[in-house]
Amino acid sequence: MAHKQRGKGRVNWLIVAFGLTLAYVFVLGFLLLPATASCTDQFGASLWQKYLACRPANELGDFLSGAFAPVAFLWLVAAVLIQAQELRAQREELALTRQELADSREVMKEQAEQARKQAIQAQRQADFIGDQTENLKRQSEEYYREKQDRIFDEALQALHKGVVSQLSNARYKVPSATGILVGSFADYRNMEPEKAVHQLRGALQDLNRSLANLDPRQEPDIPIVSIKVLPDALDKLIAMKDRLSLAHQIKFDSLGLAESCADAKSIIDKLKPSAEKHD
């Protein structure tokens, strides 16, 4: 649009110079030459024969130079005007190009700023998604831990009901060099599972210490059948520890399951000959 508007405002100096040249030739041929002395009065003679043929060479040269000097000057002026017009057009084009480059830089700056904002927004969205993912992962882990806690509690209740309760009020006698050591297990049937398992730990420790003084020549009276099932049952609960929540791991440590399992295995190892004979 701007190029068309500039093209409409420009003057075509070639046409102007050509028109002025034709006008000058017309004035020269039909007004100036007839005003000079003629060489012949013949009506049908040409301009050369009528006005120029009779003149001396120096006068003819002066005439021609004087006649064509305005034409040369006219075309020189036209050439200068055309060149000036082209230079002005080039300056306008350069100014337009600079303006377009400036506009392009502004557009690029806006695009860069928009891209920066989009990058920041994308980073925020990524952080939000990361936080949500972390929350979901944490919730999943918490749900898994809670599920494992419930499984552990159920397994602890099953241990209490199926194994620990079988040792309720069970008595044992361990002969030693100084006499017979007598002891008994508590009544675990009406206790809470945690309390029953915790007290079982103390009873197993006492029995294990008593067997350290066992007289090998005499056979002890111990409920070995009920004790033999303890290690396997306790090992199943011990294997759950790493999957429990922190609160249940503290609870696990307070029950002394690993110690009870170690004491039960020690008792079984010390009573293997008697247990095999009993079986």
Side-chain angles (χ1 to χ4, degrees):
M1 183 66 68
H3 293 285
K4 293 181 179 179
Q5 291 177 354
R6 288 197 302 271
K8 290 180 179 179
R10 294 177 60 179
V11 178
N12 193 333
W13 292 109
L14 287 175
I15 297 176
V16 173
F18 185 73
L20 292 175
T21 300
L22 290 179
Y24 175 75
V25 170
F26 177 80
V27 171
L28 179 64
F30 293 96
L31 296 178
L32 297 179
L33 284 178
T36 62
S38 61
C39 297
T40 180
D41 293 334
Q42 295 180 2
F43 179 75
S46 64
L47 291 176
W48 174 261
Q49 294 173 346
K50 191 172 182 179
Y51 297 106
L52 301 176
C54 62
R55 300 181 186 278
N58 59 343
E59 185 179 347
L60 180 61
D62 293 338
F63 172 78
L64 292 176
S65 62
F68 286 101
V71 176
F73 181 74
L74 174 64
W75 281 97
L76 178 61
V77 173
V80 172
L81 292 175
I82 291 171
Q83 187 176 13
Q85 191 176 56
E86 291 298 326
L87 290 174
R88 184 168 58 252
Q90 290 179 0
R91 287 196 299 271
E92 293 175 355
E93 188 68 25
L94 288 174
L96 180 61
T97 302
R98 286 195 296 269
Q99 184 61 37
E100 290 178 350
L101 289 175
D103 294 340
S104 299
R105 285 196 297 269
E106 290 298 326
V107 172
M108 292 178 65
K109 287 181 180 179
E110 292 178 359
Q111 291 177 348
E113 182 64 20
Q114 187 67 22
R116 187 183 68 83
K117 292 180 179 179
Q118 290 177 353
I120 293 174
Q121 185 65 24
Q123 184 62 41
R124 290 176 179 174
Q125 291 178 352
D127 293 340
F128 176 76
I129 293 174
D131 292 340
Q132 293 298 317
T133 302
E134 187 65 26
N135 290 334
L136 290 175
K137 181 180 178 181
R138 185 166 53 252
Q139 290 176 0
S140 177
E141 291 177 353
E142 290 176 355
Y143 175 77
Y144 174 78
R145 299 287 184 184
E146 290 176 356
K147 182 179 179 181
Q148 294 302 316
D149 291 347
R150 291 194 298 270
I151 294 175
F152 176 80
D153 291 338
E154 292 174 358
L156 187 62
Q157 291 179 0
L159 175 70
H160 172 249
K161 183 177 180 181
V163 179
V164 178
S165 295
Q166 301 301 320
L167 288 170
S168 294
N169 298 321
R171 299 176 62 84
Y172 60 85
K173 296 179 181 180
V174 179
S176 65
T178 59
I180 298 177
L181 301 175
V182 179
S184 66
F185 293 89
D187 188 356
Y188 305 119
R189 290 170 295 187
N190 296 323
M191 294 182 183
E192 293 294 328
E194 292 84 355
K195 183 178 180 180
V197 171
H198 186 270
Q199 289 199 7
L200 175 65
R201 171 189 175 185
L204 291 173
Q205 287 179 343
D206 293 340
L207 176 58
N208 194 25
R209 283 195 295 266
S210 298
L211 289 174
N213 300 319
L214 176 64
D215 186 352
R217 296 171 299 176
Q218 301 185 51
E219 182 176 349
D221 182 11
I222 295 175
I224 188 62
V225 176
S226 298
I227 295 176
K228 286 178 63 176
V229 299
L230 278 174
D232 290 339
L234 291 173
D235 282 336
K236 292 179 181 179
L237 270 73
I238 293 171
M240 298 180 184
K241 180 179 180 180
D242 294 337
R243 300 191 294 267
L244 299 177
S245 64
L246 180 60
H248 263 63
Q249 288 185 10
I250 296 174
K251 173 182 176 180
F252 177 94
D253 293 336
S254 68
L255 294 176
L257 296 176
E259 293 81 355
S260 297
C261 183
D263 286 329
K265 290 179 179 180
S266 178
I267 292 170
I268 294 171
D269 290 339
K270 291 176 181 177
L271 295 177
K272 273 185 178 180
S274 298
E276 291 174 356
K277 185 184 297 185
H278 187 273
D279 292 340

